[in-house]
Amino acid sequence: MQWNLPNTLTVFRLIAAPGVALIFFLLPHPYADWVALCLFVGAAVTDWLDGYLARLWRQQSRFGAMLDPIADKAMVVIALATLMGLFGFNTWMIIPVAAILFREVFVSGLREFLGDTAGTLKVTKMAKWKTTLQMVAIAVLFSYGIFEHHFGMAVIGMSPEIVAGIFAGEVEDQFHLVALQQGAQWAYWGGAAILWVAAGLTVLTGVDYLIKAMPYLKDDNDD
């Protein structure tokens, strides 16, 4: 194993994956939301940075090539599981999450079955786009908790009439309630929309890999 900066960043991303979930057991809201968001975004940046540095400094290694996709999948899977715990099992979340998890398990099993011929399932541009969209969606959804918490704290002690007056434009919005609510809505629905697009690309890449693997899945007596 070559212990260089690109590999160190990959290991950091792997360690950060469970950290995103564990932070909600260690810190209250909104600190947990902020730390989870920053940790996830930082880890997502290393997904691009470690590969870039490895190519730039010619430090590609078998260890890095092995660990990089594992770290990516661990990040996405654990973050999605965390989000399901935060948002609950509603339709807008469970369908794309289930599609993404099914594809990841299916392709991982397919690569394992192919063994030495797994190199035929090279990462495509579409696969890179789906990973990027998954990470963007997850980051946006993590920000929802921040908006929601600050909105909840701002309305403590306010009567429903005052809150209604603020949204009607009849009362001065000193605590930026409208902006906080709009931020929460954009984070939830925007993140969900991006997640659905990412799930669609995820399924398409899974089908693409299956088609490429079909010649290696035939029995010897098949034509």
Side-chain angles (χ1 to χ4, degrees):
M1 185 187 79
Q2 298 179 18
W3 198 254
N4 49 41
L5 182 56
N7 285 345
T8 301
L9 292 174
T10 304
V11 172
F12 163 75
R13 188 162 73 256
L14 184 63
I15 296 174
V20 169
L22 292 175
I23 201 68
F24 286 94
F25 290 97
L26 301 176
L27 296 175
H29 297 283
Y31 304 108
D33 301 277
W34 274 112
V35 174
L37 176 61
C38 293
L39 188 60
F40 184 84
V41 171
V45 170
T46 67
D47 182 36
W48 167 82
L49 187 60
D50 59 5
Y52 173 78
L53 293 178
R55 292 187 298 270
L56 180 66
W57 295 340
R58 297 181 180 179
Q59 293 181 342
Q60 294 98 330
S61 65
R62 292 176 62 86
F63 175 77
M66 176 275 297
L67 195 61
D68 185 72
I70 295 175
D72 289 347
K73 287 178 174 56
M75 272 186 59
V76 170
V77 169
I78 294 176
L80 288 176
T82 303
L83 287 172
M84 291 305 300
L86 295 174
F87 287 99
F89 289 85
N90 62 73
T91 304
W92 289 105
M93 295 288 292
I94 190 62
I95 293 177
V97 168
I100 292 172
L101 295 182
F102 176 81
R103 182 270 185 193
E104 298 299 351
V105 172
F106 178 80
V107 173
S108 295
L110 190 61
R111 289 182 186 276
E112 182 178 355
F113 176 80
L114 292 176
D116 294 338
T117 58
T120 58
L121 305 183
K122 294 181 179 179
V123 178
T124 63
K125 288 185 178 180
M126 187 188 301
K128 292 180 180 179
W129 271 106
K130 68 90 179 172
T131 300
T132 300
L133 286 177
Q134 286 175 359
M135 292 183 176
V136 171
I138 291 169
V140 173
L141 288 169
F142 270 131
S143 70
Y144 170 82
I146 298 172
F147 289 108
E148 182 187 41
H149 175 82
H150 286 291
F151 179 86
M153 293 299 294
V155 298
I156 290 178
M158 287 188 186
S159 66
E161 292 76 14
I162 293 178
V163 175
I166 290 175
F167 282 97
E170 300 170 354
V171 179
E172 184 180 359
D173 188 7
Q174 296 181 343
F175 299 98
H176 311 292
L177 295 187
V178 175
L180 289 171
Q181 186 192 56
Q182 290 177 344
Q185 290 178 342
W186 276 104
Y188 180 82
W189 293 111
I194 299 172
L195 189 64
W196 274 84
V197 175
L201 286 179
T202 301
V203 172
L204 287 177
T205 58
V207 173
D208 178 57
Y209 286 151
L210 177 60
I211 293 173
K212 291 177 179 177
M214 284 303 295
Y216 303 93
L217 301 179
K218 293 182 179 180
D219 294 327
D220 294 336
N221 57 352
D222 288 343
D223 294 332

